[in-house]
Amino acid sequence: MGRRRLPVALLGAALALATGAGNAQQFNGQSPSYRSSPNAQSVPARQSVPATVTTSPPVPIQRTTPSSVPSAPQPASTAAQPAPSEPPRPQPLASAAASAQAATACMNEKKSASVDAAIKGCDAVISETLKNLANAYYFRGTAKFGKSDFDGAIGDYGQALRLDPSDPDYLNSRAAAYEAKKDIDRALADYNEAIKTNPNSIFAYNNRGAVFQRKGDFARAAADYGEVTRLQPNNLDAWSARCWVRAISPGQTQQALTDCNAALKIKADAADVLDTRGFIYLKLGQSDNAIKDYDAALKGDPKLAGSLYGRGLAKLRKGDRNGGNTDMAAAKAIRSDIAEEFSRYGLKP
């Protein structure tokens, strides 16, 4: 029987697959709207780090419902939905040259390497091959997710985890698939495990916060969004998200105002943040400040129903009945249930 050779070329092709599909996924969101709980994750993603801190893409959090979830419902409520941006893709464990060197040492055809060196080379080849296989399962799971085959995606992410249990990104992705199936308990379990595996997993904190927010556990949601601000101090959307969940939490109005101010230091014309701060000022009875922020928010997005309705309430409080009724009617034309939304937060004409 002839001596077997390790498929170095195939290893190289697998490495190319792992790195070449780098921009295969993307996350999309809609403009801000009033919602009390975020929707399911749009698509799973590899871990990313903030553009504001490093050169990698940020992991933004938006008060939106992502538009690309095939089966997700559209709840009529208010929220800050984490929506990770386009993430980096899996990276090879070694360069092509190092991979070839490990394969050569493993085969040890000329007996030039020691036995220990040959074993070490084979260990490297096995490890790299398993990682590439895990990435292949991951990519296939992502493709299945895109087809709304969430069970198939969960199965493939599970296979990736069987091969590489230490990768928090596989856990994050499987959690997103569980969320799409509305299996919140399993999603939380995977996010918890991802954070245990990597305490700096921003994606996991983002999305676990969204799950807590959806469950109405605003304190835990705020804590997770706070971890994002700790890890990404210049993440505008993380500050905005925590501002919102605090704004709708009893006794957290001043803390919410502090968070919105921090967000506006990063981007002074952020319409969703101005919208939230206007809401806070309305709750505090500061009608002039509320109108000022709502005006600025509407300048950025004239179709913000919440800003129109909130500005209408503020105008009514100042005795401007015509202006107030006009704004509130315009808001209802955009969102027929916007009055009920504000009423649930104790803000009525």
Side-chain angles (χ1 to χ4, degrees):
M1 179 179 292
R3 180 177 296 166
R4 295 180 182 274
R5 292 181 178 274
L6 291 170
V8 179
L10 291 179
L11 286 176
L15 289 172
L17 170 65
T19 56
N23 296 318
Q25 296 181 69
Q26 204 166 7
F27 292 83
N28 297 309
Q30 300 168 344
S31 59
S33 60
Y34 273 78
R35 300 182 183 279
S36 64
S37 59
N39 208 339
Q41 187 61 49
S42 57
V43 291
R46 300 289 294 177
Q47 179 66 41
S48 63
V49 290
T52 51
V53 179
T54 72
T55 58
S56 302
V59 183
I61 303 175
Q62 301 172 354
R63 291 177 55 199
T64 69
T65 299
S67 58
S68 56
V69 183
S71 67
Q74 300 292 328
S77 44
T78 308
Q81 166 66 20
S85 65
E86 182 177 320
R89 306 314 314 160
Q91 297 298 310
L93 301 184
S95 67
S99 178
Q101 185 178 6
T104 299
C106 178
M107 290 185 288
N108 201 13
E109 287 185 300
K110 297 180 180 180
K111 304 298 182 184
S112 58
S114 68
V115 173
D116 287 341
I119 291 172
K120 185 177 180 180
C122 291
D123 287 344
V125 171
I126 291 168
S127 176
E128 190 170 29
T129 302
L130 290 176
K131 181 62 177 178
N132 285 321
L133 181 57
N135 282 336
Y137 275 117
Y138 166 81
F139 282 116
R140 192 173 72 173
T142 297
K144 289 179 179 179
F145 191 106
K147 292 181 62 178
S148 303
D149 180 5
F150 303 125
D151 287 326
I154 288 167
D156 277 346
Y157 295 142
Q159 290 286 8
L161 283 163
R162 180 179 61 81
L163 293 163
D164 187 4
S166 65
D167 193 322
D169 299 327
Y170 300 155
L171 288 161
N172 290 333
S173 297
R174 190 171 68 177
Y178 279 131
E179 280 197 75
K181 288 189 62 180
K182 304 180 183 65
D183 192 341
I184 301 303
D185 289 338
R186 283 194 174 96
L188 271 177
D190 275 354
Y191 286 136
N192 290 341
E193 190 63 29
I195 290 170
K196 185 186 300 183
T197 301
N198 177 12
N200 293 327
S201 180
I202 296 168
F203 185 96
Y205 280 121
N206 283 350
N207 290 279
R208 191 177 70 174
V211 172
F212 284 138
Q213 185 175 343
R214 191 175 301 117
K215 290 167 68 71
D217 191 343
F218 299 140
R220 287 186 180 179
D224 276 351
Y225 296 149
E227 287 300 308
V228 179
T229 65
R230 179 181 66 83
L231 294 165
Q232 293 189 354
N234 293 323
N235 189 312
L236 166 68
D237 296 310
W239 288 106
S240 176
R242 192 170 69 170
C243 176
W244 177 250
V245 295
R246 284 177 162 177
I248 57 177
S249 299
Q252 295 288 304
T253 309
Q254 289 299 329
Q255 292 90 328
L257 186 59
T258 298
D259 283 346
C260 271
N261 288 339
L264 290 168
K265 286 182 180 179
I266 299 169
K267 190 174 188 297
D269 61 349
D272 57 335
V273 184
L274 289 163
D275 174 73
T276 301
R277 196 173 68 173
F279 176 86
I280 293 168
Y281 282 137
L282 196 62
K283 288 183 68 176
L284 291 172
Q286 299 180 25
S287 298
D288 288 334
N289 284 334
I291 290 171
K292 181 179 178 181
D293 274 354
Y294 284 139
D295 283 343
L298 289 165
K299 183 178 180 180
D301 185 351
K303 296 296 184 180
L304 277 176
S307 286
L308 282 167
Y309 193 84
R311 189 174 69 178
L313 284 178
K315 287 179 178 179
L316 287 181
R317 290 178 178 181
K318 287 176 62 65
D320 182 2
R321 183 166 297 277
N322 289 335
N325 288 334
T326 298
D327 276 350
M328 292 164 69
K332 291 176 182 178
I334 298 170
R335 281 282 311 279
S336 61
D337 62 344
I338 193 65
E340 289 76 10
E341 290 285 347
F342 272 76
S343 180
R344 281 199 290 270
Y345 295 115
L347 295 172
K348 302 177 182 180

